[in-house]
């Protein structure tokens, strides 16, 4: 449990049988939404799907980013990145602003639009199973070992060695290793990820950093702004005071010189 | 007399009543059937008209409040004091309506107080929530003299007057923060937003456009209030505001195009796509036309000309916020979003409530009345000392 966990999905091995889809439904007690796993879409009742693109099958699910956007944007901290890698959601904190859905680079979080007390729903990396030392339900169910669960570092090594040992079979890139600062779900593919319509335009930089660059300036804005505004108030007010003082001085001088003048006149 | 006029049905009252009934029904449906039943929102498109218009536009349109407060109290240009009350009233109402809209849009509105106790300082939304809450409180205090005067609570009035400057300073800082932060909300989606609108300068864009639209709203409202309440338009005052708009819009547009140049995005301006057309529409309506109109003295110093310029600024501003929140997100989303009938009806309900409450307050409180003479000793126009002393 101390070590970071991850999921490795090998597209060259996936046969599109839908065992992961069924296992996920069962594990999370989700109702049936489609008779054909290949035609279903992610929803508040479906946390993983398999999409067919040409000859290949691609699993879609939460990527459990290392620096997750959802964790960063949630105003009430309803999302949590656990030490071992899963991104979890706490419905008791959520107030339903849906910024997590807006911010997720993979468009994963789903909403219970039909509910009066709606929750955000997504894959939680089988938190209860992993806690007890078990692999995720999808990895356990996969008959082709296309989805495997394990320690993050070991899975990276495994992915690297697969690419190295079978250069003809694999496109030399591990998708998810560096996207948006790294995730916990890695993909290996026989063809380029662009061809499989993966989002290949994602920045390598962790997305919360984009926000933090702006947010971290707030203390400066508050302090400098406070000094500037108060200072400006003082300046514009002081101008009036000086004008008043000068006028009073002038008046005094005039009256002084008048009295002096009177005295000289007498002499 | 007054009561009779309230119950007399005119055309506009009929329209307002219709809006309230339809909008009220939509809101009722939202709370009884859920968000999915009344909105066209989806998992791919989780923020729609209510966030784009009711919140982003609402907060921006209320920016006149902090802009004018800074001008009158910090920069000490006291001759604008007569228009400060209606402006603060607009801002205060605006923020209350934004909060009202938020309670409709939030999936679990009863949990809105969570932002008070469950902190996440890394969230822009968290910062916006706190700023809006604190600034609404500031606006309440800035607005309170109107009520305190009415009920002759002079002791409290004195307390409020004594803390005017700290209140204004706090208000300006809080506004600067959350006006710009509404732009920062989108910094985290570089790959989900059309490049014509995504920029690391988004917070600055949002701030500058809020200042210019805040000024435009002062002109717009002044003109409409003059008509509606049969008053003299403070024309000599508001025409000067036209020039500030030129400055704010000028800086805004130069920054915008410099960033497009710097990021190598200029070629996007020549594409033939819906996004490019909408971008040009926003820029031409909201920046180029009003700048040209307001630079020409004859237009600026003409009532209709000034009003039209302000209307252009407001129109362009609304386009910009809708473009940022809907058009730009649409590009990479496989879902086509257009607000539902209920979403539009709810938005119109909120606008109608705003207009009605503004009317009621103006009719029953001294919003437009000039400041009483004895308070003129607080006038800080920089003039020669003779006059300054006279006032004592």
């Amino acid at each position: 449990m101390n070590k970071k966990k991850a999921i490795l999905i090998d597209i060259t091995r996936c046969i599109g049988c839908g065992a992961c889809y069924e296992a996920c439904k069962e594990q999370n007690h989700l109702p049936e939404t489609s008779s054909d796993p290949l035609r279903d879409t992610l929803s508040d009742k479906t946390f993983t799907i398999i999409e067919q693109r040409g000859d290949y099958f691609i699993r879609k699910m939460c990527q459990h980013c290392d620096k997750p956007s959802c964790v960063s944007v949630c105003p009430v901290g309803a999302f949590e990145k656990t030490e071992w890698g899963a991104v979890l959601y706490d419905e008791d904190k959520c107030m339903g602003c849906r910024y997590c859905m807006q911010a997720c680079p993979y468009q994963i979080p789903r909403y219970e639009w039909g509910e009066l007390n709606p929750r955000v729903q997504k894959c939680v990396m089988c938190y209860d199973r992993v806690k007890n030392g078990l692999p995720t339900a999808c990895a356990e169910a996969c008959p082709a070992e296309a989805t495997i669960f394990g320690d993050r570092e070991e899975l990276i090594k495994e992915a690297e060695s697969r690419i190295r040992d079978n250069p003809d079979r694999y496109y030399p890139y591990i998708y998810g290793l560096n996207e948006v600062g790294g995730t916990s779900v890695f993909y290996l593919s026989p063809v380029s990820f662009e061809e499989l319509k993966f989002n290949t335009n994602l920045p390598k930089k962790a997305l919360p950093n984009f926000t933090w660059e702006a947010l971290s300036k707030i203390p400066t804005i508050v302090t400098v702004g406070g000094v500037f505004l108060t200072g400006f108030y003082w300046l514009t007010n002081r101008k009036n005071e000086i004008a008043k003082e000068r006028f009073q001085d002038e008046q005094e001088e005039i009256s002084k010189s008048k009295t002096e003048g009177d005295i000289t006149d007498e002499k | 007399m007054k009561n009779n006029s309230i119950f007399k049905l005119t055309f506009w009252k009929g329209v307002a009543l219709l809006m309230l009934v339809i909008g009220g029904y939509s809101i009722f449906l939202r709370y009884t059937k859920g968000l999915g039943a009344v909105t066209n929102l989806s998992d791919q498109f989780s923020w729609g008209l209510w966030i784009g218009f009711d919140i982003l536009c609402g907060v921006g349109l209320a920016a006149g409040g902090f802009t004018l407060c800074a001008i009158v109290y910090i920069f000490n240009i006291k001759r604008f004091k007569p228009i400060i009350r209606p402006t603060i009233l607009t801002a205060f109402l605006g923020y209350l309506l934004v909060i009202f809209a938020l309670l409709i849009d939030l999936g679990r509105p009863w949990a809105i107080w969570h932002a008070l106790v469950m902190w996440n300082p890394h969230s822009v939304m968290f910062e916006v929530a706190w700023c809006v809450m604190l600034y609404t409180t500031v606006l309440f205090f800035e607005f309170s003299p109107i009520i305190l005067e009415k009920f002759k609570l002079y002791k409290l009035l004195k307390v409020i007057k004594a803390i005017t400057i700290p209140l204004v300073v706090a208000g300006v800082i809080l506004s600067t923060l959350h006006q710009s932060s509404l732009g920062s909300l989108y910094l985290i989606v570089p790959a989900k937003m059309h490049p014509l609108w995504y920029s690391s300068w988004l917070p600055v864009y949002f701030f500058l456009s809020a200042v210019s639209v805040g000024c435009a709203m002062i002109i717009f409202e002044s003109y409409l209030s003059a008509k509606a309440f049969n008053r003299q338009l403070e024309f000599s005052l508001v025409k000067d505001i036209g020039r500030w708009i030129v400055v704010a819009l000028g800086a805004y547009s130069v920054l915008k195009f410099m960033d497009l140049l710097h990021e190598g995005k200029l070629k996007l301006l020549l594409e033939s796509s819906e996004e490019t057309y909408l971008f040009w529409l926003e820029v031409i309506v909201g920046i180029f036309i009003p700048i040209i109109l307001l630079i020409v003295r004859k237009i600026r110093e003409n009532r209709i000309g000034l009003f039209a310029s302000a209307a252009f600024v407001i129109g362009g501003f609304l386009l910009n916020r809708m473009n940022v929140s809907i058009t730009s997100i649409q590009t990479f989303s496989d879902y086509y979003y257009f607000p539902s009938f209920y979403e539009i009806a709810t938005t119109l309900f909120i606008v109608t409530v705003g207009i009605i409450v503004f009317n009621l307050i103006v009719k029953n409180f001294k919003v437009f009345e000039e400041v009483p003479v004895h308070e003129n000793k607080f006038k800080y126009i920089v003039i020669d000392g003779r006059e300054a002393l006279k006032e004592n």
Side-chain angles (χ1 to χ4, degrees), chain A residues 116-175:
Chain A
L116 282 176
N117 190 11
R119 291 173 296 176
V120 174
Q121 294 284 273
K122 69 172 199 64
C123 156
V124 290
M125 226 196 227
C126 290
Y127 177 80
D128 285 335
R129 291 174 58 90
V130 175
K131 203 167 56 181
N132 297 321
L134 293 165
T136 59
C138 55
E140 195 179 68
C142 184
E145 291 198 330
T147 294
I148 52 174
F149 178 84
D151 291 340
R152 193 175 190 272
E153 292 311 311
E154 272 169 37
L155 285 185
I156 293 172
K157 270 183 212 152
E158 170 68 21
E160 280 168 350
S161 72
R162 282 189 199 180
I163 291 176
R164 198 171 44 235
D165 298 343
N166 300 292
D168 303 334
R169 196 173 166 182
Y170 290 104
Y171 179 78
Y173 188 80
I174 305 171
Y175 187 91

Side-chain angles (χ1 to χ4, degrees), chain B residues 197 269 274-290 312 315-317 319-320 323:
Chain B
W197 286 281
L269 296 173
E274 195 188 333
E275 288 88 354
T276 305
Y277 300 144
L278 282 168
F279 182 84
W280 276 115
L281 187 68
E282 164 200 327
V283 170
I284 290 171
V285 169
I287 301 178
F288 293 159
I289 293 180
F312 271 111
F317 170 83
L319 266 170
N320 169 261
N323 275 340

Side-chain angles (χ1 to χ4, degrees), chain B residues 346-377:
Chain B
T346 304
T347 300
L348 290 174
F349 176 93
I350 293 173
V351 174
T352 310
V353 168
I355 295 172
I356 292 174
V357 177
F358 186 87
N359 252 295
L360 283 177
I361 294 183
V362 165
K363 280 185 183 149
N364 293 299
F365 294 88
K366 275 189 209 161
V367 174
F368 281 114
E369 206 120 345
E370 313 274 299
V371 198
V373 187
H374 69 267
E375 279 182 25
N376 277 356
K377 63 181 169 190

Side-chain angles (χ1 to χ4, degrees), chain B residues 298-372:
Chain B
K298 263 193 180 165
I299 299 177
R300 191 176 65 233
E301 303 204 339
N302 170 294
R303 276 155 212 263
I304 306 288
L306 187 70
F307 175 70
S309 314
F312 271 111
V313 176
I314 295 167
F317 170 83
L318 299 181
L319 266 170
N320 169 261
R321 295 304 194 258
M322 298 313 279
N323 275 340
V324 167
S325 63
I326 294 173
T327 314
S328 81
I329 303 289
Q330 198 99 77
T331 312
F332 299 116
S333 160
D334 13 324
Y335 181 81
Y336 179 79
Y337 170 81
F338 191 84
S340 72
F341 172 79
Y342 298 118
E343 284 178 270
I344 296 172
T346 304
T347 300
L348 290 174
F349 176 93
I350 293 173
V351 174
T352 310
V353 168
I355 295 172
I356 292 174
V357 177
F358 186 87
N359 252 295
L360 283 177
I361 294 183
V362 165
K363 280 185 183 149
N364 293 299
F365 294 88
K366 275 189 209 161
V367 174
F368 281 114
E369 206 120 345
E370 313 274 299
V371 198

